[in-house]
Amino acid sequence: MLVSTKGRYALRVIIDLAEREGEGYLPLRDVAHRQGISEKYLESVLKTLVRDHLIEGMRGKGGGYRLTRPAADYTAGEVLRATEGSLAPVAGLDNEEAFRIEEPRCHEMWEKLDALIEDYLDGIKVTDLCVSTLAGNDYVI
Amino acid sequence: MLVSTKGRYALRVIIDLAEREGEGYLPLRDVAHRQGISEKYLESVLKTLVRDHLIEGMRGKGGGYRLTRPAADYTAGEVLRATEGSLAPVAGLDNEEAFRIEEPRCHEMWEKLDALIEDYLDGIKVTDLCVSTLAGNDYVI
DNA sequence: TATTATCCTATAGCAATGATAGGAAATAGC
DNA sequence: GCTATTTCCTATCATTGCTATAGGATAATA
């Protein structure tokens, strides 16, 4: 599987925060409830996003998480790459030498597939995934 | 990781058999040596390909493995799908209902990414990956 | 009958995923 | 300063899949 639930959860959180841009810090509990994700597990996912400066956390009363940049700046690829580590379809794509020796027939194919995937996901802005009109969306609390 | 070494090995074997199409049954030992892959592990990979009728095995002296159809018929996607089980970038893509409830914002994106990947790999014929002129290829025994 | 080679079953180390638990540290309002 | 809130940090754990190894049963050929 290219993208695990970790990356999918992360993307949903970023979308959630983007849809509420300008509302200040949003507590983890609220986000988790809205998305139907365990608070404790989501916490570990958000830690990664904080480490990579995609979001920032504020402790204490009135604290929570918020985006560090304008929502329109974020891409799906960026969020997924942060949490998944890599979006490469096969391992060791960076090691050209090893490929030339072990897999000369397929190297080009993997390179192109990688570019295809990364270009597609980097071309999707988080704001394109947002729903501006929340009304009529059953699952949103 | 979308494709593990299992699928990559399988593809290399199919290419190996395709490049020697018409030479009858090729013993696992020879294929493994040519590709630099452990015989025992490759055996389990080939078992999957036999189960899916992509190749057939013949026991005993003069036995080995060969393609069941003309080499030109095989696509990379077909081989990888057989060994990897699925090429879907995320789990549960077939369950539309669950997506509509849990991940309405992202469903379309995953569907399109899936189509992108599958179409690309289904469009690559194994014979396109074959090297007809084996001369000058150091790693080939 | 001997040789060759696939087929079958079982095992094991390792890493990643998905998740849970408990408590420390910081912040805001009173 | 006290209290409630909420992030931050560390540790643990069960499950799964990957990668690989081992030993022997079964079948085909000469």
Side-chain angles (χ1 to χ4, degrees):
Chain A
M1 215 57 56
L2 185 71
V3 179
S4 66
T5 63
K6 193 175 171 184
R8 292 163 73 175
Y9 285 174
L11 192 51
R12 283 164 64 183
V13 168
I14 294 289
I15 292 170
D16 190 280
L17 297 183
E19 286 177 343
R20 289 160 185 80
E21 198 182 16
E23 297 183 22
Y25 291 99
L26 304 175
L28 165 67
R29 189 193 303 126
D30 295 1
V31 179
H33 280 164
R34 271 197 295 271
Q35 298 296 328
I37 302 171
S38 143
E39 287 183 43
K40 274 296 181 184
Y41 183 50
L42 199 55
E43 196 183 307
S44 66
V45 176
L46 292 209
K47 193 165 62 171
T48 308
L49 294 177
V50 169
R51 178 179 34 81
D52 284 32
H53 306 103
L54 288 171
I55 64 175
E56 56 192 350
M58 177 64 129
R59 294 203 262 202
K61 214 167 201 169
Y65 295 93
R66 72 174 179 194
L67 302 181
T68 54
R69 296 143 34 203
D73 277 8
Y74 292 78
T75 68
E78 162 185 37
V79 176
L80 296 174
R81 212 174 284 112
T83 40
E84 296 291 330
S86 163
L87 291 176
V90 292
L93 253 195
D94 44 338
N95 191 345
E96 296 256 355
E97 186 61 21
F99 263 98
R100 203 183 57 76
I101 296 170
E102 295 175 7
E103 251 181 305
R105 311 283 197 282
C106 302
H107 185 215
E108 194 185 345
M109 178 182 70
W110 298 131
E111 287 281 7
K112 284 184 181 172
L113 178 58
D114 182 42
L116 202 69
I117 293 169
E118 313 244 7
D119 286 351
Y120 174 71
L121 292 174
D122 284 338
I124 294 180
K125 294 163 85 171
V126 165
T127 44
D128 294 338
L129 299 171
C130 290
V131 172
S132 37
T133 52
L134 292 177
N137 240 299
D138 292 342
Y139 97 106
V140 175
I141 299 169
Chain B
M1 215 56 56
L2 184 71
V3 179
S4 66
T5 64
K6 194 174 170 183
R8 292 163 72 176
Y9 285 174
L11 191 51
R12 283 164 66 183
V13 168
I14 296 288
I15 293 170
D16 190 280
L17 296 183
E19 287 178 343
R20 289 159 185 80
E21 199 182 15
E23 296 183 23
Y25 292 100
L26 303 176
L28 165 67
R29 190 192 302 129
D30 295 0
V31 179
H33 280 164
R34 270 197 295 272
Q35 298 295 328
I37 302 171
S38 141
E39 287 182 44
K40 274 297 180 183
Y41 182 50
L42 199 54
E43 195 183 306
S44 68
V45 176
L46 293 208
K47 192 164 64 173
T48 308
L49 294 176
V50 169
R51 178 180 33 81
D52 284 33
H53 305 105
L54 288 171
I55 63 176
E56 56 192 349
M58 176 64 128
R59 294 204 264 202
K61 216 168 201 170
Y65 295 94
R66 72 175 181 194
L67 303 180
T68 54
R69 296 142 35 202
D73 277 8
Y74 293 79
T75 69
E78 161 185 39
V79 176
L80 295 173
R81 213 175 284 112
T83 40
E84 297 291 329
S86 161
L87 290 176
V90 292
L93 253 193
D94 45 336
N95 192 345
E96 296 256 354
E97 186 61 22
F99 263 98
R100 204 183 56 76
I101 297 170
E102 295 175 8
E103 250 181 306
R105 311 280 197 282
C106 302
H107 185 215
E108 194 185 344
M109 178 183 70
W110 297 132
E111 288 281 7
K112 284 185 181 172
L113 179 59
D114 182 43
L116 202 68
I117 292 169
E118 313 243 6
D119 287 351
Y120 174 70
L121 292 174
D122 285 338
I124 293 181
K125 295 163 86 171
V126 165
T127 43
D128 294 338
L129 298 172
C130 291
V131 171
S132 36
T133 52
L134 293 177
N137 241 297
D138 292 341
Y139 96 105
V140 175
I141 300 172

